[in-house]
C-alpha cells in the first residue's frame, strides 16, 4: 500500500479513536459530489443521465464542506460529474485542506491544466486522474479521442508543479490481464504517479453500456493473473493488502458501504454511491435509519457482482486493524512504497 506515511498514521489514529469510543459504524472517506454535470459521456457511467435542471446545479461551498465536517471522515474524494466544472471547486478544496482533511479531486483531466493554477500543492491534496487503459482503450471508454493524451500531459504538468497525482482505473470484462499490466506499468514506471487505485466496474443502473461489467469469478481470475510475476508488490497501489487479496479471491468480505458514504446534491445517498435507495439530510440519519444488513452479495441481487472498493476496501482496512499480523504486513508495504516513491521523486 503506497499511502503516504503521514496519511497512514492519521487514518490509524482515527480508527483507534473510533474503537475507543465503541463506534461500530463510521466513515473512512466521504464521496462528495458537488455536481453531476460532466464534459464527457463515458459508457460505464450513469451520472449525466439526470435531468437538465439537475445537471445545472452546483453545490454551495458551505454545504459541501459542512457535510464532510458533519461526518468526521479524515479523507474526502471529490467526484461528480466533473468537479473541475464547479466554479468554486478550488475554494471547497482550500477549506477542506485547511481542516486537514486528505482531499482527492477526481477528474478526467480535460480541464486540469487550465484550472491547475487555482490549487496549491499540499500533503493533504492530490489530483486523482481517471485512466482506464492506454490511448486507444481509454479514449474508447470515454467515447472521445484525445482524452488520454490530454490526461497524460496534465499529469506531467501537475507532477512538475509539485502536486501529488494519483490515478483511478476501472476495468471491464473486455479487459485482459495484459491490458491491466500495460496501463499500470505505464502509470507506475513511465508517468511515475504517486499512487494508483483500481476497481472492477460496477453495473450502474443508468449506464449506457450494460454488457461489459465484470462478474465475481471473472474479477478474481483477471486480477490473479494481472498481479502475478511480482507486479502487485512492484506497483504503487493505493489499497490495503487485504483488499488486493480480496480482488484475487484469496479472502472474501462482507460489504461495509457505510464506511464510504456519498453526499451529493440530493443529500446523503443510501446505501452507497453506486446504488440509490433514497436520500437523507444528515449523516446520522444515514447511519441510523438505513438497514445495512439488507445489502451485499447474497442479500440484494443488485450487489451480486459487486467487488467495488467503496464496499470492500473499508472492510479490508478494518480487518487489517483488527489483526496484528495484517497491521504489520500493511505497515511493511506502506514503508516500502514510500521508499520507492521518495526515490522516484528525487
Amino acid at each position: 500500500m503506497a499511502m503516504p506515511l503521514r496519511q497512514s498514521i492519521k487514518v490509524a489514529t482515527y480508527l483507534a479513536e473510533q474503537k475507543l469510543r465503541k463506534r461500530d459504524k463510521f466513515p473512512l472517506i466521504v464521496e462528495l459530489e458537488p455536481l453531476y454535470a460532466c464534459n464527457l459521456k463515458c459508457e460505464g457511467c450513469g451520472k449525466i443521465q439526470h435531468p437538465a435542471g439537475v445537471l445545472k446545479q452546483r453545490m454551495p461551498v458551505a454545504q459541501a464542506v459542512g457535510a464532510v465536517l458533519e461526518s468526521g471522515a479524515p479523507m474526502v474524494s471529490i467526484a461528480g460529474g466533473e468537479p473541475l466544472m464547479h466554479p468554486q471547486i478550488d475554494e471547497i478544496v482550500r477549506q477542506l485542506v485547511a481542516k486537514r482533511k486528505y482531499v482527492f479531486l477526481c477528474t478526467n483531466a480535460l480541464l486540469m491544466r487550465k484550472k491547475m493554477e487555482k490549487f496549491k500543492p499540499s500533503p493533504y491534496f492530490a489530483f486523482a486522474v481517471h485512466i482506464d487503459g492506454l490511448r486507444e482503450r481509454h479514449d474508447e471508454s470515454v467515447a472521445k479521442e484525445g482524452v488520454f493524451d490530454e490526461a497524460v500531459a496534465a499529469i506531467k504538468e501537475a507532477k512538475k508543479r509539485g502536486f501529488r497525482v494519483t490515478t483511478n482505473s476501472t476495468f471491464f470484462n473486455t479487459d485482459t490481464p495484459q491490458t491491466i499490466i500495460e496501463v499500470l506499468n505505464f502509470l507506475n514506471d513511465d508517468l511515475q504517479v504517486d499512487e494508483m487505485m483500481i476497481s472492477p466496474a460496477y453495473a450502474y443502473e443508468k449506464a449506457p453500456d450494460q454488457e461489459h461489467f465484470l462478474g465475481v469469478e471473472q474479477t478474481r481470475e483477471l486480477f490473479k493473473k494481472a498481479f502475478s510475476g511480482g507486479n502487485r508488490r512492484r506497483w504503487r497501489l493505493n489499497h490495503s493488502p487485504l483488499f488486493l487479496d480480496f480482488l484475487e479471491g484469496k479472502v472474501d468480505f462482507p460489504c461495509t458501504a457505510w464506511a464510504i458514504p456519498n453526499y451529493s446534491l440530493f443529500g446523503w445517498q443510501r446505501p452507497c454511491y453506486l446504488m440509490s435507495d433514497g436520500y437523507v439530510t444528515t449523516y446520522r440519519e444515514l447511519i441510523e435509519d438505513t438497514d445495512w444488513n439488507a445489502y451485499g452479495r447474497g442479500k440484494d441481487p443488485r450487489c451480486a457482482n459487486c467487488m467495488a472498493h467503496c464496499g470492500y476496501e473499508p472492510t479490508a482496512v478494518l480487518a487489517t486493524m483488527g489483526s496484528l499480523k495484517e497491521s504489520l504486513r500493511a505497515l511493511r508495504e506502506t514503508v516500502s512504497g514510500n521508499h520507492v516513491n521518495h526515490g522516484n521523486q528525487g
Side-chain angles (χ1 to χ4, degrees), residues 99-116:
K99 296 293 184 180
R100 298 201 171 186
K101 302 294 183 182
Y102 284 93
V103 180
F104 298 85
L105 195 155
C106 303
T107 176
N108 58 39
L110 286 181
L111 294 172
M112 193 167 147
R113 287 197 287 177
K114 181 179 179 181
K115 303 280 189 177
M116 201 176 296

Side-chain angles (χ1 to χ4, degrees), residues 263-285:
Y263 185 78
S264 70
L265 294 167
F266 300 138
W268 293 99
Q269 180 173 325
R270 64 159 64 105
C272 65
Y273 82 95
L274 296 171
M275 291 165 51
S276 181
D277 284 353
Y279 299 84
V280 293
T281 305
T282 67
Y283 176 73
R284 183 173 179 177
E285 287 178 88

Side-chain angles (χ1 to χ4, degrees), residues 200-214:
Y202 174 81
Y204 279 103
E205 183 180 357
K206 293 184 178 181
D209 182 358
Q210 290 289 320
E211 298 179 5
H212 296 122
F213 294 105
L214 287 161

Side-chain angles (χ1 to χ4, degrees), residues 69-346:
L69 297 182
E70 176 203 354
S71 75
M75 299 180 287
V76 189
S77 175
I78 305 179
E82 170 51 55
L84 288 176
M85 292 176 64
H86 193 296
Q88 294 175 293
I89 189 61
D90 56 318
E91 182 61 18
I92 293 175
V93 169
R94 189 193 67 78
Q95 291 193 24
L96 289 172
V97 166
K99 296 293 184 180
R100 298 201 171 186
K101 302 294 183 182
Y102 284 93
V103 180
F104 298 85
L105 195 155
C106 303
T107 176
N108 58 39
L110 286 181
L111 294 172
M112 193 167 147
R113 287 197 287 177
K114 181 179 179 181
K115 303 280 189 177
M116 201 176 296
E117 63 183 20
K118 292 178 174 287
F119 303 90
K120 294 181 179 180
S122 166
Y124 291 94
F125 174 71
F127 286 107
V129 181
H130 204 93
I131 300 286
D132 282 347
L134 296 182
R135 181 180 291 107
E136 182 178 350
R137 195 168 195 82
H138 180 72
D139 286 356
E140 182 181 1
S141 74
V142 300
K144 186 175 182 178
E145 291 185 4
V147 177
F148 177 84
D149 288 340
E150 179 58 34
V152 168
I155 289 171
K156 289 180 178 179
E157 179 64 22
K159 294 286 289 180
K160 182 180 178 181
R161 296 193 188 192
F163 287 99
R164 284 184 63 217
V165 181
T166 67
T167 55
N168 182 10
S169 299
T170 305
F171 298 111
F172 297 81
N173 66 9
T174 51
D175 277 291
T176 66
Q178 189 58 34
T179 62
I180 293 176
I181 290 169
E182 288 172 354
V183 69
L184 295 184
N185 276 346
F186 176 75
L187 297 172
N188 191 84
D189 303 335
D190 296 353
L191 284 187
Q192 297 188 359
V193 300
D194 292 281
E195 301 106 34
M196 301 174 292
M197 189 168 72
I198 58 178
S199 184
Y202 174 81
Y204 279 103
E205 183 180 357
K206 293 184 178 181
D209 182 358
Q210 290 289 320
E211 298 179 5
H212 296 122
F213 294 105
L214 287 161
V216 171
E217 291 307 317
Q218 284 179 300
T219 296
R220 289 170 175 167
E221 189 66 19
L222 185 64
F223 285 106
K224 182 178 180 180
K225 291 179 179 178
F227 288 161
S228 66
N231 286 329
R232 172 175 156 176
R233 180 174 295 276
R234 186 174 61 80
W235 290 329
R236 291 183 298 280
L237 297 172
N238 190 17
H239 294 289
S240 64
L242 278 179
F243 178 72
L244 299 178
D245 287 349
F246 169 76
L247 288 182
E248 287 193 67
K250 293 179 178 178
V251 295
D252 201 10
F253 292 122
C255 174
T256 49
W258 46 263
I260 305 186
N262 172 272
Y263 185 78
S264 70
L265 294 167
F266 300 138
W268 293 99
Q269 180 173 325
R270 64 159 64 105
C272 65
Y273 82 95
L274 296 171
M275 291 165 51
S276 181
D277 284 353
Y279 299 84
V280 293
T281 305
T282 67
Y283 176 73
R284 183 173 179 177
E285 287 178 88
L286 176 72
I287 294 300
E288 296 181 356
D289 297 345
T290 303
D291 183 6
W292 299 103
N293 292 325
Y295 299 101
R297 279 186 279 122
K299 299 177 180 179
D300 188 313
R302 295 172 297 177
C303 304
N305 290 316
C306 181
M307 293 182 71
H309 63 91
C310 66
Y312 296 97
E313 177 76 85
T315 322
V317 170
L318 294 173
T320 298
M321 292 299 295
S323 165
L324 177 59
K325 177 182 176 182
E326 292 299 334
S327 294
L328 291 174
R329 178 189 177 199
L331 179 61
R332 284 195 302 270
E333 296 199 16
T334 297
V335 172
S336 174
N338 277 280
H339 175 74
V340 172
N341 285 342
H342 179 76
N344 284 338
Q345 292 168 1

